[in-house]
Amino acid sequence: MALKQRVFSGVQPTGNLHLGNYLGAITKFVALQESYDCIYCVVDMHAITVWQEPHELSHATREVTAAFLACGIDPKKHIVFNQSQVAEHAELAWVFNCVARLGWLNRMTQFKEKAGKDRENVSVGLYAYPNLMAADILVYRATHVPVGEDQKQHLELSRDIAQKFNIDYAASINNHGYGETFFPLPEPIIQGPATRVMSLRDGSKKMSKSDASDQSRINLTDDADAIALKIRRAKTDPHALPSEEKGLETRPEAENLVGIYAALNDTTKAQVLSEFGGGQFSTFKSALVDLAVAKLGPIGGEMKRLVQDPVYIDSILADGSQRAQAIAAETMKAVKDIVGFVRR
Ligand code: TRP
């Protein structure tokens, strides 16, 4: 059976969305709409693997949805919804809890990092998180998943789960007329290091919503003044910009700002340096302020407008959930037959 090429990706509704999420993920999601059927999910069930203030969780869910829409994701042609409205994610995740091996999860570096020394005290959900992520993807039998480098290992686990399911249930898959394999092995679409956006305060750290300093990141909802101030205050070094990319090698802060400019302007670092190389940092920063305000200002404005209309946002999520569920329910029926669950 030829499966239609389908993209799935998820974003957690925890904290502010920033320039790193925009350049690293959301602009990629927007571009993929041209060539795939896309499903973009606000993964609220993943969010609660770490406790969330309930009203902040609802707000963040609507805000991520608003960002998707403001950046140009089309919720009519594609699907935008929040995870918890489609119960099949949790249902398939349980089956996957029984397919994935303890040893596989024990190797997940993100869990080790997040749990740290407090391993005995983190939620069971945080540990089983990659199984839910596999269910997110495979309940739609998605073939392509745009993810950052940090999620690559989780995606490999999804492939392992798909493969083990296909093998463990091979006979039953065949007996029920589902062909040779049931789940596709989802391919990552990795967003390269070119769009890794670093902190404005420390060029060796990723821009992050959990950084204590708000000056370290540009939030998608920052207004023009805030954007300008953060860029002007961004850490740099005392040297002029080089004219060649090689000259950025030992200058992470300069490299980051040049990379941000290139990504926002859809060009290369080399191109940016051919224009600004040899000049003062302040001249380059002024140009970056203008560019960032021009690109991000309208997005932030639209997000704020949308967030003030929760009835509209919720209607988008309800509609997306219904259409997502229609697909997910078909997969779950088949999974129940394959596993041997008696069903209606
Ligand atoms: N784990 C992802 C992150 O933290 C979010 C996510 C959940 C996801 N389910 C997914 C990403 C499925 C891609 C596909 O970024």
Side-chain angles (χ1 to χ4, degrees), residues 42 44 57-66 69 75-76 80-82 85 306-323:
V42 186
D44 48 7
L57 179 63
S58 320
H59 180 262
T61 299
R62 295 188 178 109
E63 194 169 71
V64 173
T65 308
L69 303 182
K76 293 275 174 279
V80 172
F81 76 108
N82 59 311
Q85 294 207 56
L306 287 167
V307 165
Q308 276 162 22
D309 191 354
V311 174
Y312 173 71
I313 297 278
D314 293 4
S315 75
I316 294 287
L317 293 172
D319 173 66
S321 299
Q322 258 172 18
R323 285 154 55 221

Side-chain angles (χ1 to χ4, degrees), residues 212-285:
S213 164
D214 194 57
Q215 296 292 316
S216 71
R217 66 183 158 261
I218 295 174
N219 303 303
L220 286 186
T221 47
D222 282 347
D223 60 19
D225 289 345
I227 295 173
L229 200 67
K230 286 176 180 179
I231 292 177
R232 292 221 174 81
R233 285 193 187 154
K235 188 176 166 198
T236 46
D237 54 45
H239 308 291
L241 275 178
S243 347
E244 309 265 311
E245 251 188 283
K246 221 177 146 25
L248 290 175
E249 268 169 17
T250 52
R251 300 173 61 187
E253 284 81 16
E255 173 161 34
N256 187 37
L257 295 179
V258 171
I260 291 172
Y261 191 103
L264 283 174
N265 210 25
D266 216 3
T267 54
T268 60
K269 288 184 202 164
Q271 199 70 47
V272 176
L273 291 178
S274 75
E275 193 178 339
F276 293 98
Q280 284 308 309
F281 234 112
S282 54
T283 315
F284 170 66
K285 275 190 171 180

Side-chain angles (χ1 to χ4, degrees), residues 8-12 29 41 43 46 83 89 110 114 129-130 132-137 144-148 150-151 154-155 158 209:
F8 181 95
S9 198
V11 172
Q12 292 201 48
F29 294 1
C41 183
V43 288
H46 276 101
Q83 190 182 27
H89 290 243
Q110 185 171 299
K114 284 199 181 171
Y129 173 121
L132 177 60
M133 180 164 158
D136 296 340
I137 299 164
H144 292 82
V145 183
V147 283
D150 62 326
Q151 295 298 315
H154 289 162
L155 199 67
S158 301
K209 55 191 163 195

